[in-house]
Amino acid sequence: MTKLAFLLFSLLLIFTGCNSENNQKDLTKIPESKRLLYSGNRELSKDQIGEQLGEVKQNIDPDKSQQLNDWESQNLPVGTRIYRVVGRIDDAEGDYFAYEKQGHFYLFYEFFQEEK
């Protein structure tokens, strides 16, 4: 059952628009993630939020630069706090990250860039 849940969660991430052009303008890079992260709108509860890892240090215009360095974001303002998520998401283990916006916490999704 756990493998099925993980498979369904992975497919959900892929089919929710991981490769859409709009998400290419909502990316953030942090050193703790092997992939770029895009800002989701799935709200998390406070008990799912672990340690603060850092905060956005620079906002990058996606129309002027394709390259993101650690702690840079295309859509989150400077000072946005980024956290590690504790526990599982939809019964799937993994490294998950969240950002804080107006006192609420939202899940980042991994960005899978389409090979050209």
Side-chain angles (χ1 to χ4, degrees), residues 39-40 76 80-82 98-101 104-108:
S39 308
L76 298 175
T80 299
R81 295 180 185 133
I82 298 174
Y99 63 98
E100 185 176 3
K101 180 179 177 183
H104 298 270
F105 301 97
Y106 299 93
L107 183 65
F108 275 118

Side-chain angles (χ1 to χ4, degrees), residues 52-104:
Q52 180 180 334
L53 300 173
E55 59 185 50
V56 173
K57 300 204 181 300
Q58 188 169 0
N59 194 269
I60 303 297
D61 184 344
D63 295 324
K64 294 183 180 175
S65 175
Q66 297 296 325
Q67 182 68 29
L68 282 176
N69 296 310
D70 289 337
W71 304 113
E72 292 181 342
S73 180
Q74 295 174 334
N75 67 314
L76 298 175
V78 171
T80 299
R81 295 180 185 133
I82 298 174
Y83 300 87
R84 184 175 305 281
V85 174
V86 295
R88 295 171 170 236
I89 299 292
D90 297 331
D91 282 334
E93 290 184 27
D95 289 327
Y96 297 102
F97 306 98
Y99 63 98
E100 185 176 3
K101 180 179 177 183
Q102 298 175 342
H104 298 270

